[in-house]
């Protein structure tokens, strides 16, 4: 388990270096631990080391780990594709932010449920900046309209945008995804939509967090570089149907 502590230090240094390079404060960038497939004992190790923001992809895993993590102070985001029939459980098992609102139908169903339970939820609007079929997220051209529509649903606290960048060794192509997200954020900010906060940009993972930070990320989501390789391909975790 010492590997986790070591890996966290390495990631922290990478974040610090990227902040320095882009003249940003370290405090502007939150590290979210992508904990899919990671067992509670390993997650607890990371939380106890001071990294208390985690993100899960599957509602099933949120449920399974709930009891084990309940007594340990942490914040949990949902970062996977969310089917409307699982909304109930996401709300029930302590998720405070859904980073993957990518369609109005989901926003509406989420609102209905929250409203009936007299609750609110932080959300990010997920944008498909890489135009890859396999990834979820609103089309960049529709993201502003989706944000406007979702802003009418008063239980949803819109905090910003999220994207999964292109998987490519070509940094500049990956960068253009992050730049696009930043660009959409700025357009939305300029519209001054009531009840919409656009502070958060969740982008960047183990392989591309430096580029994301240079382009304005406020949340980087890191899994492999902290917990090691997973046995399933990522596509498995981005598709709730599988
Ligand atoms: C798994 C996952 C990550 C982390 O990916 P790594 O390459 O393991 O760092 C980030 N975001 C989402 C949405 C994920 O599913």
């Amino acid at each position: 388990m010492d590997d986790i502590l070591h890996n966290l230090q390495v990631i922290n240094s990478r974040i610090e270096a990227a902040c320095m390079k882009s003249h940003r404060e370290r405090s502007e960038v939150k590290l979210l631990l992508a904990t899919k497939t990671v067992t509670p004992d390993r997650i607890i190790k990371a939380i106890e080391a001071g990294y208390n923001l985690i993100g899960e992809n599957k509602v099933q895993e949120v449920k399974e780990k709930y009891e084990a993590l309940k007594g340990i102070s942490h914040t949990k985001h949902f970062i996977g594709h969310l089917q409307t029939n699982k909304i109930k459980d996401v709300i029930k098992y302590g998720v405070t932010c859904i980073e993957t609102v990518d369609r109005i139908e989901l926003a509406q169903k989420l609102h209905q449920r929250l409203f009936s339970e007299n609750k609110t939820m932080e959300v990010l609007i997920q944008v498909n900046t890489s135009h890859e079929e396999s990834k979820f997220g609103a089309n960049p051209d529709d993201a502003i309209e989706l944000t406007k529509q979702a802003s009418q649903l008063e239980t949803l606290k819109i905090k910003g945008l999220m994207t999964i960048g292109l998987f490519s060794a070509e940094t500049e192509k990956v960068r253009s995804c992050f730049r696009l997200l930043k660009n959409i954020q700025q357009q939305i900010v300029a519209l001054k939509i009531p009840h919409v906060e656009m502070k958060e940009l969740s982008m960047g993972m183990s392989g591309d967090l430096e580029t994301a930070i240079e382009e304005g990320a406020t949340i980087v989501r890191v899994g492999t570089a902290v917990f090691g390789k997973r046995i399933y391909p990522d596509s498995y975790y981005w598709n709730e149907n599988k």
Side-chain angles (χ1 to χ4, degrees), residues 34 36 57 79 162 164 205-206 221-224 230 234 238:
K36 56 187 178 237
N57 286 67
I79 61 172
M162 178 271 207
I164 299 168
M205 312 191 347
S206 293
R221 308 176 309 263
V222 177
T224 318
R230 295 174 294 267
D234 281 343
W238 290 329

Side-chain angles (χ1 to χ4, degrees), residues 118-136:
N118 203 14
K119 289 181 176 165
T120 62
M121 178 73 77
E122 296 183 355
V123 301
L124 305 184
I125 302 296
Q126 183 182 7
V127 185
N128 184 352
T129 54
S130 64
H131 299 283
E132 286 172 295
E133 288 268 339
S134 60
K135 285 187 199 150
F136 292 95

